[in-house]
PDB file of all heavy atoms in Angstrom:
ATOM      1  N   ARG A  30     -59.081 228.459 -42.736  1.00 98.00           N
ATOM      2  CA  ARG A  30     -60.149 228.120 -41.811  1.00 98.00           C
ATOM      3  C   ARG A  30     -61.059 227.077 -42.417  1.00 98.00           C
ATOM      4  O   ARG A  30     -61.222 226.986 -43.634  1.00 98.00           O
ATOM      5  CB  ARG A  30     -60.952 229.368 -41.424  1.00 98.00           C
ATOM      6  CG  ARG A  30     -61.708 230.027 -42.578  1.00 98.00           C
ATOM      7  CD  ARG A  30     -62.264 231.390 -42.169  1.00 98.00           C
ATOM      8  NE  ARG A  30     -63.220 231.276 -41.084  1.00 98.00           N
ATOM      9  CZ  ARG A  30     -63.509 232.243 -40.228  1.00 98.00           C
ATOM     10  NH1 ARG A  30     -62.888 233.425 -40.317  1.00 98.00           N
ATOM     11  NH2 ARG A  30     -64.407 232.052 -39.262  1.00 98.00           N
ATOM     12  N   ASP A  31     -61.651 226.275 -41.548  1.00 98.00           N
ATOM     13  CA  ASP A  31     -62.632 225.277 -41.932  1.00 98.00           C
ATOM     14  C   ASP A  31     -63.855 225.529 -41.071  1.00 98.00           C
ATOM     15  O   ASP A  31     -63.906 225.134 -39.910  1.00 98.00           O
ATOM     16  CB  ASP A  31     -62.078 223.868 -41.719  1.00 98.00           C
ATOM     17  CG  ASP A  31     -63.011 222.786 -42.241  1.00 98.00           C
ATOM     18  OD1 ASP A  31     -64.216 223.037 -42.382  1.00 98.00           O
ATOM     19  OD2 ASP A  31     -62.515 221.666 -42.514  1.00 98.00           O
ATOM     20  N   ASN A  32     -64.827 226.217 -41.641  1.00 97.00           N
ATOM     21  CA  ASN A  32     -65.999 226.589 -40.864  1.00 97.00           C
ATOM     22  C   ASN A  32     -66.807 225.382 -40.408  1.00 97.00           C
ATOM     23  O   ASN A  32     -67.439 225.420 -39.347  1.00 97.00           O
ATOM     24  CB  ASN A  32     -66.891 227.535 -41.676  1.00 97.00           C
ATOM     25  CG  ASN A  32     -66.278 228.910 -41.818  1.00 97.00           C
ATOM     26  OD1 ASN A  32     -65.353 229.276 -41.088  1.00 97.00           O
ATOM     27  ND2 ASN A  32     -66.800 229.688 -42.757  1.00 97.00           N
ATOM     28  N   ALA A  33     -66.800 224.322 -41.194  1.00 97.00           N
ATOM     29  CA  ALA A  33     -67.533 223.114 -40.809  1.00 97.00           C
ATOM     30  C   ALA A  33     -66.957 222.493 -39.552  1.00 97.00           C
ATOM     31  O   ALA A  33     -67.679 221.839 -38.790  1.00 97.00           O
ATOM     32  CB  ALA A  33     -67.533 222.113 -41.947  1.00 97.00           C
ATOM     33  N   LYS A  34     -65.663 222.683 -39.328  1.00 98.00           N
ATOM     34  CA  LYS A  34     -64.997 222.130 -38.158  1.00 98.00           C
ATOM     35  C   LYS A  34     -64.736 223.177 -37.078  1.00 98.00           C
ATOM     36  O   LYS A  34     -64.161 222.853 -36.038  1.00 98.00           O
ATOM     37  CB  LYS A  34     -63.679 221.473 -38.555  1.00 98.00           C
ATOM     38  CG  LYS A  34     -63.835 220.286 -39.481  1.00 98.00           C
ATOM     39  CD  LYS A  34     -62.481 219.672 -39.809  1.00 98.00           C
ATOM     40  CE  LYS A  34     -62.634 218.461 -40.705  1.00 98.00           C
ATOM     41  NZ  LYS A  34     -61.327 217.842 -41.043  1.00 98.00           N
ATOM     42  N   SER A  35     -65.133 224.419 -37.331  1.00 98.00           N
ATOM     43  CA  SER A  35     -64.870 225.528 -36.400  1.00 98.00           C
ATOM     44  C   SER A  35     -63.404 225.554 -35.995  1.00 98.00           C
ATOM     45  O   SER A  35     -63.064 225.654 -34.807  1.00 98.00           O
ATOM     46  CB  SER A  35     -65.782 225.425 -35.171  1.00 98.00           C
ATOM     47  OG  SER A  35     -67.137 225.579 -35.523  1.00 98.00           O
ATOM     48  N   THR A  36     -62.543 225.475 -36.985  1.00 98.00           N
ATOM     49  CA  THR A  36     -61.108 225.383 -36.748  1.00 98.00           C
ATOM     50  C   THR A  36     -60.351 226.323 -37.665  1.00 98.00           C
ATOM     51  O   THR A  36     -60.679 226.432 -38.849  1.00 98.00           O
ATOM     52  CB  THR A  36     -60.611 223.942 -36.956  1.00 98.00           C
ATOM     53  OG1 THR A  36     -61.294 223.065 -36.062  1.00 98.00           O
ATOM     54  CG2 THR A  36     -59.114 223.842 -36.681  1.00 98.00           C
ATOM     55  N   VAL A  37     -59.354 226.978 -37.117  1.00 98.00           N
ATOM     56  CA  VAL A  37     -58.448 227.812 -37.910  1.00 98.00           C
ATOM     57  C   VAL A  37     -57.058 227.185 -37.825  1.00 98.00           C
ATOM     58  O   VAL A  37     -56.662 226.661 -36.774  1.00 98.00           O
ATOM     59  CB  VAL A  37     -58.458 229.274 -37.435  1.00 98.00           C
ATOM     60  CG1 VAL A  37     -57.970 229.396 -36.000  1.00 98.00           C
ATOM     61  CG2 VAL A  37     -57.631 230.141 -38.371  1.00 98.00           C
ATOM     62  N   TYR A  38     -56.329 227.228 -38.933  1.00 98.00           N
ATOM     63  CA  TYR A  38     -55.023 226.604 -39.032  1.00 98.00           C
ATOM     64  C   TYR A  38     -53.950 227.630 -39.348  1.00 98.00           C
ATOM     65  O   TYR A  38     -54.213 228.681 -39.928  1.00 98.00           O
ATOM     66  CB  TYR A  38     -55.013 225.537 -40.130  1.00 98.00           C
ATOM     67  CG  TYR A  38     -56.064 224.482 -39.986  1.00 98.00           C
ATOM     68  CD1 TYR A  38     -57.287 224.587 -40.655  1.00 98.00           C
ATOM     69  CD2 TYR A  38     -55.848 223.360 -39.194  1.00 98.00           C
ATOM     70  CE1 TYR A  38     -58.260 223.617 -40.530  1.00 98.00           C
ATOM     71  CE2 TYR A  38     -56.817 222.389 -39.063  1.00 98.00           C
ATOM     72  CZ  TYR A  38     -58.020 222.515 -39.737  1.00 98.00           C
ATOM     73  OH  TYR A  38     -58.982 221.539 -39.605  1.00 98.00           O
ATOM     74  N   LEU A  39     -52.734 227.297 -38.984  1.00 98.00           N
ATOM     75  CA  LEU A  39     -51.578 228.071 -39.400  1.00 98.00           C
ATOM     76  C   LEU A  39     -50.521 227.098 -39.886  1.00 98.00           C
ATOM     77  O   LEU A  39     -49.900 226.387 -39.084  1.00 98.00           O
ATOM     78  CB  LEU A  39     -51.028 228.933 -38.266  1.00 98.00           C
ATOM     79  CG  LEU A  39     -49.879 229.865 -38.644  1.00 98.00           C
ATOM     80  CD1 LEU A  39     -50.380 230.946 -39.604  1.00 98.00           C
ATOM     81  CD2 LEU A  39     -49.252 230.498 -37.413  1.00 98.00           C
ATOM     82  N   GLN A  40     -50.336 227.050 -41.199  1.00 98.00           N
ATOM     83  CA  GLN A  40     -49.278 226.246 -41.792  1.00 98.00           C
ATOM     84  C   GLN A  40     -47.995 227.049 -41.780  1.00 98.00           C
ATOM     85  O   GLN A  40     -47.941 228.145 -42.342  1.00 98.00           O
ATOM     86  CB  GLN A  40     -49.641 225.846 -43.221  1.00 98.00           C
ATOM     87  CG  GLN A  40     -48.574 225.023 -43.933  1.00 98.00           C
ATOM     88  CD  GLN A  40     -48.361 223.668 -43.316  1.00 98.00           C
ATOM     89  OE1 GLN A  40     -49.326 222.969 -43.025  1.00 98.00           O
ATOM     90  NE2 GLN A  40     -47.108 223.290 -43.090  1.00 98.00           N
ATOM     91  N   MET A  41     -46.977 226.515 -41.148  1.00 98.00           N
ATOM     92  CA  MET A  41     -45.717 227.213 -40.961  1.00 98.00           C
ATOM     93  C   MET A  41     -44.613 226.450 -41.673  1.00 98.00           C
ATOM     94  O   MET A  41     -44.289 225.323 -41.298  1.00 98.00           O
ATOM     95  CB  MET A  41     -45.393 227.354 -39.480  1.00 98.00           C
ATOM     96  CG  MET A  41     -46.534 227.932 -38.645  1.00 98.00           C
ATOM     97  SD  MET A  41     -46.295 227.745 -36.859  1.00 98.00           S
ATOM     98  CE  MET A  41     -44.889 228.813 -36.602  1.00 98.00           C
ATOM     99  N   ASN A  42     -44.058 227.052 -42.715  1.00 98.00           N
ATOM    100  CA  ASN A  42     -42.982 226.442 -43.483  1.00 98.00           C
ATOM    101  C   ASN A  42     -41.711 227.268 -43.338  1.00 98.00           C
ATOM    102  O   ASN A  42     -41.747 228.422 -42.942  1.00 98.00           O
ATOM    103  CB  ASN A  42     -43.358 226.337 -44.960  1.00 98.00           C
ATOM    104  CG  ASN A  42     -44.569 225.468 -45.197  1.00 98.00           C
ATOM    105  OD1 ASN A  42     -44.796 224.484 -44.496  1.00 98.00           O
ATOM    106  ND2 ASN A  42     -45.353 225.815 -46.220  1.00 98.00           N
ATOM    107  N   SER A  43     -40.601 226.656 -43.701  1.00 98.00           N
ATOM    108  CA  SER A  43     -39.299 227.330 -43.661  1.00 98.00           C
ATOM    109  C   SER A  43     -39.072 228.014 -42.326  1.00 98.00           C
ATOM    110  O   SER A  43     -38.679 229.179 -42.259  1.00 98.00           O
ATOM    111  CB  SER A  43     -39.189 228.336 -44.811  1.00 98.00           C
ATOM    112  OG  SER A  43     -39.355 227.700 -46.054  1.00 98.00           O
ATOM    113  N   LEU A  44     -39.312 227.287 -41.266  1.00 98.00           N
ATOM    114  CA  LEU A  44     -39.246 227.867 -39.929  1.00 98.00           C
ATOM    115  C   LEU A  44     -37.837 228.325 -39.579  1.00 98.00           C
ATOM    116  O   LEU A  44     -36.843 227.694 -39.939  1.00 98.00           O
ATOM    117  CB  LEU A  44     -39.754 226.874 -38.902  1.00 98.00           C
ATOM    118  CG  LEU A  44     -41.271 226.730 -38.864  1.00 98.00           C
ATOM    119  CD1 LEU A  44     -41.679 225.458 -38.145  1.00 98.00           C
ATOM    120  CD2 LEU A  44     -41.899 227.941 -38.173  1.00 98.00           C
ATOM    121  N   LYS A  45     -37.784 229.428 -38.852  1.00 98.00           N
ATOM    122  CA  LYS A  45     -36.546 230.025 -38.406  1.00 98.00           C
ATOM    123  C   LYS A  45     -36.484 230.012 -36.888  1.00 98.00           C
ATOM    124  O   LYS A  45     -37.516 229.939 -36.218  1.00 98.00           O
ATOM    125  CB  LYS A  45     -36.442 231.469 -38.911  1.00 98.00           C
ATOM    126  CG  LYS A  45     -36.567 231.639 -40.415  1.00 98.00           C
ATOM    127  CD  LYS A  45     -36.585 233.111 -40.792  1.00 98.00           C
ATOM    128  CE  LYS A  45     -36.719 233.298 -42.291  1.00 98.00           C
ATOM    129  NZ  LYS A  45     -36.764 234.733 -42.658  1.00 98.00           N
ATOM    130  N   VAL A  46     -35.292 230.138 -36.357  1.00 97.00           N
ATOM    131  CA  VAL A  46     -35.117 230.169 -34.911  1.00 97.00           C
ATOM    132  C   VAL A  46     -35.953 231.288 -34.287  1.00 97.00           C
ATOM    133  O   VAL A  46     -36.541 231.117 -33.208  1.00 97.00           O
ATOM    134  CB  VAL A  46     -33.629 230.321 -34.544  1.00 97.00           C
ATOM    135  CG1 VAL A  46     -33.464 230.539 -33.046  1.00 97.00           C
ATOM    136  CG2 VAL A  46     -32.852 229.101 -34.985  1.00 97.00           C
ATOM    137  N   GLU A  47     -36.027 232.423 -34.963  1.00 96.00           N
ATOM    138  CA  GLU A  47     -36.772 233.548 -34.438  1.00 96.00           C
ATOM    139  C   GLU A  47     -38.285 233.344 -34.433  1.00 96.00           C
ATOM    140  O   GLU A  47     -39.016 234.178 -33.898  1.00 96.00           O
ATOM    141  CB  GLU A  47     -36.420 234.838 -35.194  1.00 96.00           C
ATOM    142  CG  GLU A  47     -36.499 234.704 -36.696  1.00 96.00           C
ATOM    143  CD  GLU A  47     -35.147 234.448 -37.338  1.00 96.00           C
ATOM    144  OE1 GLU A  47     -34.404 233.586 -36.826  1.00 96.00           O
ATOM    145  OE2 GLU A  47     -34.830 235.111 -38.346  1.00 96.00           O
ATOM    146  N   ASP A  48     -38.767 232.253 -35.025  1.00 97.00           N
ATOM    147  CA  ASP A  48     -40.179 231.917 -34.941  1.00 97.00           C
ATOM    148  C   ASP A  48     -40.539 231.254 -33.614  1.00 97.00           C
ATOM    149  O   ASP A  48     -41.714 231.025 -33.337  1.00 97.00           O
ATOM    150  CB  ASP A  48     -40.590 230.994 -36.090  1.00 97.00           C
ATOM    151  CG  ASP A  48     -40.479 231.655 -37.445  1.00 97.00           C
ATOM    152  OD1 ASP A  48     -40.856 232.841 -37.561  1.00 97.00           O
ATOM    153  OD2 ASP A  48     -40.033 230.987 -38.401  1.00 97.00           O
ATOM    154  N   THR A  49     -39.535 230.918 -32.826  1.00 97.00           N
ATOM    155  CA  THR A  49     -39.779 230.289 -31.539  1.00 97.00           C
ATOM    156  C   THR A  49     -40.641 231.189 -30.660  1.00 97.00           C
ATOM    157  O   THR A  49     -40.300 232.336 -30.418  1.00 97.00           O
ATOM    158  CB  THR A  49     -38.455 229.985 -30.839  1.00 97.00           C
ATOM    159  OG1 THR A  49     -37.718 229.025 -31.604  1.00 97.00           O
ATOM    160  CG2 THR A  49     -38.691 229.419 -29.446  1.00 97.00           C
ATOM    161  N   ALA A  50     -41.763 230.665 -30.192  1.00 98.00           N
ATOM    162  CA  ALA A  50     -42.705 231.433 -29.391  1.00 98.00           C
ATOM    163  C   ALA A  50     -43.864 230.546 -28.983  1.00 98.00           C
ATOM    164  O   ALA A  50     -44.020 229.438 -29.489  1.00 98.00           O
ATOM    165  CB  ALA A  50     -43.231 232.641 -30.175  1.00 98.00           C
ATOM    166  N   ALA A  51     -44.667 231.056 -28.063  1.00 98.00           N
ATOM    167  CA  ALA A  51     -45.960 230.459 -27.791  1.00 98.00           C
ATOM    168  C   ALA A  51     -46.969 231.079 -28.732  1.00 98.00           C
ATOM    169  O   ALA A  51     -47.051 232.303 -28.843  1.00 98.00           O
ATOM    170  CB  ALA A  51     -46.381 230.701 -26.337  1.00 98.00           C
ATOM    171  N   TYR A  52     -47.718 230.254 -29.426  1.00 98.00           N
ATOM    172  CA  TYR A  52     -48.662 230.725 -30.422  1.00 98.00           C
ATOM    173  C   TYR A  52     -50.089 230.604 -29.902  1.00 98.00           C
ATOM    174  O   TYR A  52     -50.475 229.587 -29.329  1.00 98.00           O
ATOM    175  CB  TYR A  52     -48.519 229.924 -31.713  1.00 98.00           C
ATOM    176  CG  TYR A  52     -47.299 230.331 -32.524  1.00 98.00           C
ATOM    177  CD1 TYR A  52     -46.021 229.985 -32.101  1.00 98.00           C
ATOM    178  CD2 TYR A  52     -47.428 231.076 -33.687  1.00 98.00           C
ATOM    179  CE1 TYR A  52     -44.909 230.376 -32.817  1.00 98.00           C
ATOM    180  CE2 TYR A  52     -46.305 231.459 -34.419  1.00 98.00           C
ATOM    181  CZ  TYR A  52     -45.047 231.111 -33.972  1.00 98.00           C
ATOM    182  OH  TYR A  52     -43.941 231.498 -34.693  1.00 98.00           O
ATOM    183  N   TYR A  53     -50.865 231.659 -30.113  1.00 98.00           N
ATOM    184  CA  TYR A  53     -52.224 231.756 -29.638  1.00 98.00           C
ATOM    185  C   TYR A  53     -53.154 232.147 -30.777  1.00 98.00           C
ATOM    186  O   TYR A  53     -52.770 232.905 -31.665  1.00 98.00           O
ATOM    187  CB  TYR A  53     -52.357 232.822 -28.547  1.00 98.00           C
ATOM    188  CG  TYR A  53     -51.474 232.620 -27.342  1.00 98.00           C
ATOM    189  CD1 TYR A  53     -50.166 233.061 -27.342  1.00 98.00           C
ATOM    190  CD2 TYR A  53     -51.970 232.000 -26.198  1.00 98.00           C
ATOM    191  CE1 TYR A  53     -49.360 232.891 -26.231  1.00 98.00           C
ATOM    192  CE2 TYR A  53     -51.167 231.818 -25.088  1.00 98.00           C
ATOM    193  CZ  TYR A  53     -49.868 232.271 -25.112  1.00 98.00           C
ATOM    194  OH  TYR A  53     -49.069 232.100 -24.005  1.00 98.00           O
ATOM    195  N   CYS A  54     -54.374 231.667 -30.737  1.00 97.00           N
ATOM    196  CA  CYS A  54     -55.371 232.148 -31.683  1.00 97.00           C
ATOM    197  C   CYS A  54     -56.335 233.081 -30.964  1.00 97.00           C
ATOM    198  O   CYS A  54     -56.479 233.053 -29.739  1.00 97.00           O
ATOM    199  CB  CYS A  54     -56.124 231.003 -32.365  1.00 97.00           C
ATOM    200  SG  CYS A  54     -57.149 229.984 -31.291  1.00 97.00           S
ATOM    201  N   LYS A  55     -56.983 233.936 -31.741  1.00 96.00           N
ATOM    202  CA  LYS A  55     -57.889 234.940 -31.202  1.00 96.00           C
ATOM    203  C   LYS A  55     -59.082 235.089 -32.125  1.00 96.00           C
ATOM    204  O   LYS A  55     -58.962 234.986 -33.336  1.00 96.00           O
ATOM    205  CB  LYS A  55     -57.164 236.281 -31.068  1.00 96.00           C
ATOM    206  CG  LYS A  55     -58.032 237.425 -30.551  1.00 96.00           C
ATOM    207  CD  LYS A  55     -57.261 238.718 -30.504  1.00 96.00           C
ATOM    208  CE  LYS A  55     -58.128 239.861 -30.026  1.00 96.00           C
ATOM    209  NZ  LYS A  55     -59.224 240.163 -30.988  1.00 96.00           N
ATOM    210  N   THR A  56     -60.228 235.339 -31.543  1.00 96.00           N
ATOM    211  CA  THR A  56     -61.441 235.593 -32.303  1.00 96.00           C
ATOM    212  C   THR A  56     -61.808 237.069 -32.227  1.00 96.00           C
ATOM    213  O   THR A  56     -61.541 237.741 -31.223  1.00 96.00           O
ATOM    214  CB  THR A  56     -62.606 234.736 -31.796  1.00 96.00           C
ATOM    215  OG1 THR A  56     -63.816 235.133 -32.447  1.00 96.00           O
ATOM    216  CG2 THR A  56     -62.799 234.897 -30.289  1.00 96.00           C
ATOM    217  N   SER A  57     -62.443 237.565 -33.277  1.00 94.00           N
ATOM    218  CA  SER A  57     -62.866 238.955 -33.319  1.00 94.00           C
ATOM    219  C   SER A  57     -64.027 239.247 -32.385  1.00 94.00           C
ATOM    220  O   SER A  57     -64.361 240.415 -32.179  1.00 94.00           O
ATOM    221  CB  SER A  57     -63.248 239.344 -34.745  1.00 94.00           C
ATOM    222  OG  SER A  57     -64.349 238.578 -35.202  1.00 94.00           O
ATOM    223  N   THR A  58     -64.635 238.237 -31.820  1.00 90.00           N
ATOM    224  CA  THR A  58     -65.767 238.434 -30.919  1.00 90.00           C
ATOM    225  C   THR A  58     -65.373 239.055 -29.590  1.00 90.00           C
ATOM    226  O   THR A  58     -66.229 239.547 -28.864  1.00 90.00           O
ATOM    227  CB  THR A  58     -66.516 237.126 -30.649  1.00 90.00           C
ATOM    228  OG1 THR A  58     -65.644 236.197 -29.977  1.00 90.00           O
ATOM    229  CG2 THR A  58     -66.987 236.496 -31.952  1.00 90.00           C
ATOM    230  N   GLY A  59     -64.092 239.036 -29.252  1.00 83.00           N
ATOM    231  CA  GLY A  59     -63.630 239.611 -28.010  1.00 83.00           C
ATOM    232  C   GLY A  59     -62.219 239.192 -27.677  1.00 83.00           C
ATOM    233  O   GLY A  59     -61.547 238.531 -28.463  1.00 83.00           O
ATOM    234  N   ALA A  60     -61.789 239.605 -26.503  1.00 85.00           N
ATOM    235  CA  ALA A  60     -60.429 239.326 -26.048  1.00 85.00           C
ATOM    236  C   ALA A  60     -60.364 237.941 -25.408  1.00 85.00           C
ATOM    237  O   ALA A  60     -60.143 237.800 -24.200  1.00 85.00           O
ATOM    238  CB  ALA A  60     -59.969 240.403 -25.079  1.00 85.00           C
ATOM    239  N   TYR A  61     -60.552 236.936 -26.231  1.00 89.00           N
ATOM    240  CA  TYR A  61     -60.505 235.557 -25.775  1.00 89.00           C
ATOM    241  C   TYR A  61     -59.263 234.875 -26.307  1.00 89.00           C
ATOM    242  O   TYR A  61     -58.920 235.010 -27.488  1.00 89.00           O
ATOM    243  CB  TYR A  61     -61.749 234.793 -26.233  1.00 89.00           C
ATOM    244  CG  TYR A  61     -63.059 235.385 -25.748  1.00 89.00           C
ATOM    245  CD1 TYR A  61     -63.926 236.004 -26.639  1.00 89.00           C
ATOM    246  CD2 TYR A  61     -63.409 235.324 -24.413  1.00 89.00           C
ATOM    247  CE1 TYR A  61     -65.111 236.549 -26.198  1.00 89.00           C
ATOM    248  CE2 TYR A  61     -64.601 235.870 -23.964  1.00 89.00           C
ATOM    249  CZ  TYR A  61     -65.457 236.482 -24.855  1.00 89.00           C
ATOM    250  OH  TYR A  61     -66.638 237.021 -24.417  1.00 89.00           O
ATOM    251  N   TRP A  62     -58.598 234.140 -25.437  1.00 90.00           N
ATOM    252  CA  TRP A  62     -57.373 233.444 -25.774  1.00 90.00           C
ATOM    253  C   TRP A  62     -57.404 232.027 -25.249  1.00 90.00           C
ATOM    254  O   TRP A  62     -57.966 231.756 -24.192  1.00 90.00           O
ATOM    255  CB  TRP A  62     -56.155 234.158 -25.182  1.00 90.00           C
ATOM    256  CG  TRP A  62     -56.045 235.596 -25.561  1.00 90.00           C
ATOM    257  CD1 TRP A  62     -56.545 236.669 -24.887  1.00 90.00           C
ATOM    258  CD2 TRP A  62     -55.378 236.135 -26.707  1.00 90.00           C
ATOM    259  NE1 TRP A  62     -56.242 237.840 -25.535  1.00 90.00           N
ATOM    260  CE2 TRP A  62     -55.525 237.541 -26.658  1.00 90.00           C
ATOM    261  CE3 TRP A  62     -54.677 235.569 -27.761  1.00 90.00           C
ATOM    262  CZ2 TRP A  62     -54.992 238.387 -27.620  1.00 90.00           C
ATOM    263  CZ3 TRP A  62     -54.137 236.406 -28.737  1.00 90.00           C
ATOM    264  CH2 TRP A  62     -54.295 237.793 -28.658  1.00 90.00           C
ATOM    265  N   GLY A  63     -56.771 231.133 -25.983  1.00 90.00           N
ATOM    266  CA  GLY A  63     -56.524 229.805 -25.462  1.00 90.00           C
ATOM    267  C   GLY A  63     -55.270 229.804 -24.621  1.00 90.00           C
ATOM    268  O   GLY A  63     -54.708 230.853 -24.302  1.00 90.00           O
ATOM    269  N   GLN A  64     -54.810 228.613 -24.260  1.00 95.00           N
ATOM    270  CA  GLN A  64     -53.595 228.505 -23.456  1.00 95.00           C
ATOM    271  C   GLN A  64     -52.337 228.497 -24.305  1.00 95.00           C
ATOM    272  O   GLN A  64     -51.230 228.538 -23.769  1.00 95.00           O
ATOM    273  CB  GLN A  64     -53.653 227.247 -22.588  1.00 95.00           C
ATOM    274  CG  GLN A  64     -54.744 227.305 -21.527  1.00 95.00           C
ATOM    275  CD  GLN A  64     -54.590 226.229 -20.480  1.00 95.00           C
ATOM    276  OE1 GLN A  64     -53.531 225.608 -20.335  1.00 95.00           O
ATOM    277  NE2 GLN A  64     -55.655 226.004 -19.725  1.00 95.00           N
ATOM    278  N   GLY A  65     -52.491 228.446 -25.605  1.00 97.00           N
ATOM    279  CA  GLY A  65     -51.361 228.532 -26.506  1.00 97.00           C
ATOM    280  C   GLY A  65     -50.707 227.184 -26.766  1.00 97.00           C
ATOM    281  O   GLY A  65     -50.943 226.199 -26.061  1.00 97.00           O
ATOM    282  N   THR A  66     -49.885 227.157 -27.794  1.00 98.00           N
ATOM    283  CA  THR A  66     -49.087 225.980 -28.104  1.00 98.00           C
ATOM    284  C   THR A  66     -47.658 226.431 -28.407  1.00 98.00           C
ATOM    285  O   THR A  66     -47.446 227.403 -29.138  1.00 98.00           O
ATOM    286  CB  THR A  66     -49.703 225.190 -29.283  1.00 98.00           C
ATOM    287  OG1 THR A  66     -48.961 223.978 -29.497  1.00 98.00           O
ATOM    288  CG2 THR A  66     -49.741 226.007 -30.567  1.00 98.00           C
ATOM    289  N   GLN A  67     -46.705 225.757 -27.834  1.00 98.00           N
ATOM    290  CA  GLN A  67     -45.312 226.178 -27.922  1.00 98.00           C
ATOM    291  C   GLN A  67     -44.671 225.662 -29.201  1.00 98.00           C
ATOM    292  O   GLN A  67     -44.741 224.469 -29.517  1.00 98.00           O
ATOM    293  CB  GLN A  67     -44.529 225.676 -26.712  1.00 98.00           C
ATOM    294  CG  GLN A  67     -43.048 226.038 -26.730  1.00 98.00           C
ATOM    295  CD  GLN A  67     -42.800 227.520 -26.598  1.00 98.00           C
ATOM    296  OE1 GLN A  67     -43.494 228.200 -25.837  1.00 98.00           O
ATOM    297  NE2 GLN A  67     -41.815 228.043 -27.324  1.00 98.00           N
TER     298      GLN A  67
END
């Protein structure tokens, strides 16, 4: 995370076929979701 940029990252290495999915981030403040990235 980079608090100065209000951004959280997920570095994904050695990707596998089974990693295929829509990925979403979530905050602990509540059940809030973005639209995801495929």
Side-chain angles (χ1 to χ4, degrees):
R30 64 191 298 155
D31 186 338
N32 288 344
K34 297 181 178 180
S35 296
T36 301
V37 62
Y38 304 95
L39 185 67
Q40 178 66 47
M41 309 167 67
N42 298 326
S43 302
L44 284 163
K45 305 175 180 179
V46 172
E47 50 262 46
D48 295 319
T49 296
Y52 284 72
Y53 302 84
C54 65
K55 178 182 178 295
T56 173
S57 62
T58 63
Y61 301 110
W62 305 91
Q64 294 193 17
T66 185
Q67 179 67 39

